[in-house]
Amino acid sequence: MKRRAFAVLAALAVGVPAWAHHSFAAAYDLQQPVTVHGTIVNVLLRNPHSWFMLNVKNESGQVEEWAFEAGTPSGMIRNGYKPSVIKAGAEVTIKGFRARDASQKRGMLRELTTADGQVFGLFGPQESK
């Protein structure tokens, strides 16, 4: 009986943090879509997830720095994304979902569109619909 209890506790100790880490729904509100247009400041392709940082002008004309979380770098590259495609200074439009904490200027990237119309999704390029 003690072995079984230990096995259950061990599984929970390993499984719950892994589930929490990969739960976008825990950090982002999938009922709160957001669209921003701005200029890329930085692209971070590092594990466990990639990030796109951009400057966005708000309604009053002030610049806010937004950050959007995307897929793993390996997943994005495997699906055709190249780090040289989107660089600092590029003008983009990002559609995604807001952080659950609305005071944070961040979200989960669903779709990034470059000024020339290229569309990238959470894990890399997407086919035109």
Side-chain angles (χ1 to χ4, degrees):
M1 186 67 169
K2 286 184 181 179
R3 282 187 180 165
R4 183 178 213 164
F6 177 76
V8 169
L9 288 175
L12 286 173
V14 171
V16 170
W19 172 81
H21 166 79
H22 287 97
S23 178
F24 279 111
Y28 303 105
D29 188 345
L30 303 181
Q31 303 303 310
Q32 291 295 318
V34 62
T35 300
V36 297
H37 181 83
T39 304
I40 292 289
V41 173
N42 198 7
V43 177
L44 298 175
L45 293 177
R46 63 171 93 144
N47 288 320
H49 298 126
S50 302
W51 286 88
F52 292 85
M53 278 69 149
L54 64 157
N55 285 334
V56 176
K57 284 188 181 175
N58 65 19
E59 298 84 30
S60 62
Q62 295 176 313
V63 175
E64 302 174 330
E65 186 170 312
W66 278 75
F68 282 87
E69 186 172 9
T72 63
S74 61
M76 293 179 64
I77 291 167
R78 189 171 42 252
N79 287 322
Y81 176 80
K82 292 177 180 59
S84 61
V85 173
I86 300 171
K87 296 179 183 178
E91 196 172 317
V92 299
T93 299
I94 293 181
K95 293 180 182 179
F97 300 100
R98 281 195 80 104
R100 286 199 175 276
D101 178 353
S103 70
Q104 296 181 347
K105 303 294 183 207
R106 64 176 223 172
M108 178 181 80
L109 186 144
R110 183 175 58 83
E111 181 180 281
L112 180 152
T113 305
T114 61
D116 66 0
Q118 276 189 288
V119 178
F120 297 88
L122 180 64
F123 293 103
Q126 294 186 2
E127 295 294 321
S128 297
K129 295 178 177 106

